[in-house]
Amino acid sequence: MTRISWFRGAEIHKSAYLDEAVFAIEQATVFVQSWLYLCHGSQIPTAGDYFTTELASQPLVAIRQKSGEIKVLYNRCPHKGVKVLAETCGNSGRFLRCPYHAWTFKPSGELLGIPVKTEYDPDVLSGCEASAGMKVVENVVCYRDFIFVRLSDHGLPFERFFGDSLSTLDNMIDRSPQGTLRVVGAPLRHRHHCNWKMVMDNQTDTCHPMVAHESSAGEAINLWAQAHPQRVQPMAVELFSPFMSSLTFFAEMGLRVWPNGHGHTGVSHSIHKDYSAIPGYWESMVESYGEERAQQILNDTRHNTVYFPNLMVKGPIQTLRVIRPVSASETVVESWILELIGAPQKMLERTVQYNNLINSPCSMVAHDDVEMYERATIGLKSQASEWVNIARLYEPGERWDRTSQMSGTSEAEMRNFYAMWQRMMEAGNEKS
Ligand code: FES
Ligand SMILES: [Fe+2]
């Protein structure tokens, strides 16, 4: 691997999307040195509850301890390497038991028992790495119930890595009158035949909805225009329609970039701003926060917040998407929903509807995007050009080490993302 300048200001080299060697470096650098979202505390509320996943190609398990603390372990038996927990979630009971030879471990990962332990010389065993039990992930932060890990000793500390971008998570949490969220159900999982970064790029691409989604959102508007004037507008029409907003609308809503590749669209307003009021919600917010603070929380209608490298949060509609790279040309998108504890049930109903209508594998809207990713994957393999263009509202000498705001139709957020990506990739490539 000799190419290290995949990103040259306003263009990305196509190998960043197609090449398995680039993918391998990404996993070993970008993904292990970044803070990655693992799960939400509400998924594992009681002692012994666990959630398993894979991050940066590492099998992991987050498990609630008796003390209430959450530990993250590598889901790998120290004996012969078997993945100890096969289910996505469950409760370990008092201990974890490997299904191969029944070695057991405390929920903290510590080795508890080995069948017929007398057949091991105690000195030999204590000198073996296996005697330490299941390996613990050291860098874990639980930020207001959102659990993040960093799998390398190298990398920025949590607060520096995210900086002010945590304000999006804060706002989503504050939208609960009790300041508490709960993950509801399993995520919708959708496999795409494309590179994971195409999905990330799309989250802040405000110039595509009115074009790519015309056939779905545009049709919803057309159908509704023909409906009887007395009919009550279905929630689906309310959720579909804003996708057809004009370029001027998206430009004026603005976007903000933060250092280290994070950013969000929708600074002054967004497509989530004008949903109809849900009876009782405003009152419960005022009761909890007072009128001024409640207004401040609900006025912050950010559109999509991208957390580098692979998390997207929509605070006003309480959805969260984890973009999971599988290979250079295979990605699984998980769309999770959260309930605002203390808010009327109708809020959750709207969130469920949004996720089903917009993010689901059965959604009409999501397929518009997926088709574009897959067609881009085909097009990029051609000899026609080596580069992908992200020059919209590019300004030579752009700097990404500070927070800044610009027009919502700028591709600055993608450039901010790739500036961070390139920095981490270069550091990794020099070592390889
Ligand atoms: S591999 Fe786990 S007990 Fe043997
Ligand atoms: Fe889209």
Side-chain angles (χ1 to χ4, degrees):
M1 172 73 43
T2 48
R3 170 176 293 282
I4 57 166
S5 286
W6 293 278
F7 174 51
R8 59 179 193 191
E11 292 166 298
I12 316 285
H13 192 263
K14 66 179 190 177
S15 61
Y17 299 98
L18 300 176
D19 193 333
E20 289 298 341
V22 173
F23 181 83
I25 301 174
E26 273 176 349
Q27 290 288 289
T29 59
V30 171
F31 278 82
V32 296
Q33 291 179 15
S34 294
W35 285 92
L36 305 175
Y37 173 68
L38 197 157
C39 68
H40 188 262
S42 64
Q43 292 170 256
I44 45 174
T46 49
D49 283 354
Y50 65 80
F51 174 78
T52 65
T53 190
E54 206 173 276
L55 297 175
S57 312
Q58 304 294 310
L60 301 172
V61 53
I63 182 161
R64 179 81 68 178
Q65 308 294 299
K66 242 193 195 155
S67 63
E69 185 203 354
I70 288 164
K71 271 200 188 302
V72 178
L73 312 172
Y74 286 89
N75 190 4
R76 184 253 195 229
C77 179
H79 182 210
K80 286 195 163 70
V82 166
K83 187 173 167 182
V84 177
L85 295 161
E87 304 296 326
T88 307
C89 56
N91 187 285
S92 67
R94 280 177 296 117
F95 55 85
L96 289 75
R97 181 177 179 274
C98 178
Y100 201 179
H101 312 94
W103 284 30
T104 54
F105 310 93
K106 292 183 184 173
S108 61
E110 203 181 313
L111 182 61
L112 188 63
I114 297 177
V116 206
K117 200 174 174 186
T118 47
E119 294 183 351
Y120 286 90
D121 179 301
D123 291 337
V124 172
L125 185 62
S126 63
C128 291
E129 219 174 288
S131 66
M134 291 172 72
K135 192 173 166 60
V136 174
V137 174
E138 300 295 343
N139 299 306
V140 179
V141 169
C142 182
Y143 181 80
R144 300 187 70 185
D145 253 0
F146 287 83
I147 299 152
F148 290 86
V149 294
R150 197 189 69 204
L151 297 174
S152 167
D153 290 338
H154 302 286
L156 296 171
F158 181 83
E159 284 76 14
R160 256 188 69 203
F161 183 77
F162 286 117
D164 291 340
S165 71
L166 292 170
S167 54
T168 289
L169 287 183
D170 288 335
N171 181 259
M172 181 162 69
I173 299 163
D174 292 345
R175 284 169 175 270
S176 152
Q178 294 178 19
T180 310
L181 301 176
R182 184 176 74 92
V183 164
V184 179
L188 298 171
R189 290 196 176 84
H190 195 174
R191 185 174 288 265
H192 301 345
H193 301 289
C194 70
N195 187 270
W196 66 279
K197 296 187 292 300
M198 290 184 182
V199 185
M200 294 307 290
D201 294 350
N202 179 264
Q203 306 307 312
T204 62
D205 182 336
T206 54
C207 296
H208 86 279
M210 68 297 284
V211 183
H213 299 307
E214 191 183 4
S215 61
S216 50
E219 199 49 30
I221 293 173
N222 292 341
L223 279 175
W224 180 240
Q226 295 160 29
H228 191 279
Q230 308 290 274
R231 267 196 69 187
V232 178
Q233 189 189 52
M235 197 184 264
V237 174
E238 182 177 74
L239 297 174
F240 274 138
S241 303
F243 282 84
M244 290 307 289
S245 302
S246 66
L247 263 181
T248 312
F249 174 93
F250 282 108
E252 286 174 356
M253 79 182 194
L255 64 82
R256 181 180 283 128
V257 297
W258 291 292
N260 303 325
H262 319 296
H264 77 94
T265 47
V267 175
S268 55
H269 59 274
S270 80
I271 68 168
H272 303 305
K273 193 167 168 57
D274 293 324
Y275 295 149
S276 52
I278 284 180
Y281 180 49
W282 167 248
E283 291 74 9
S284 61
M285 287 293 283
V286 170
E287 199 180 320
S288 298
Y289 296 102
E291 201 161 318
E292 195 182 334
R293 176 72 185 129
Q295 196 69 68
Q296 198 183 26
I297 293 166
L298 300 180
N299 274 351
D300 194 339
T301 51
R302 298 177 189 200
H303 179 209
N304 290 349
T305 295
V306 162
Y307 285 108
F308 185 91
N310 70 328
L311 175 66
M312 197 283 281
V313 174
K314 264 183 191 295
I317 198 80
Q318 300 92 53
T319 64
L320 183 153
R321 305 180 88 198
V322 184
I323 318 302
R324 297 193 179 280
V326 178
S327 70
S329 57
E330 204 77 6
T331 301
V332 171
V333 178
E334 283 182 2
S335 302
W336 296 83
I337 55 169
L338 296 118
E339 179 182 10
L340 300 172
I341 302 296
Q345 269 303 101
K346 195 85 181 158
M347 296 293 287
L348 178 60
E349 194 187 308
R350 184 152 70 189
T351 299
V352 171
Q353 276 237 25
Y354 187 92
N355 211 31
N356 288 346
L357 287 170
I358 312 299
N359 295 335
S360 146
C362 304
S363 149
M364 281 179 274
V365 174
H367 283 89
D368 300 333
D369 296 312
V370 173
E371 185 174 346
M372 294 309 122
Y373 308 149
E374 296 184 354
R375 283 165 72 155
T377 305
I378 294 166
L380 290 184
K381 287 179 184 157
S382 77
Q383 301 175 31
S385 168
E386 296 283 296
W387 298 91
V388 170
N389 188 285
I390 50 168
R392 199 173 181 105
L393 292 172
Y394 172 69
E395 286 175 26
E398 284 176 326
R399 286 180 55 179
W400 307 116
D401 55 352
R402 57 191 168 194
T403 300
S404 42
Q405 279 175 220
M406 55 276 293
S407 163
T409 47
S410 171
E411 284 169 332
E413 209 172 307
M414 296 176 213
R415 298 192 289 273
N416 181 44
F417 178 97
Y418 283 105
M420 178 67 169
W421 180 86
Q422 170 82 8
R423 214 159 67 222
M424 296 182 94
M425 291 289 284
E426 273 175 11
N429 199 39
E430 275 157 20
K431 274 187 231 144
S432 69

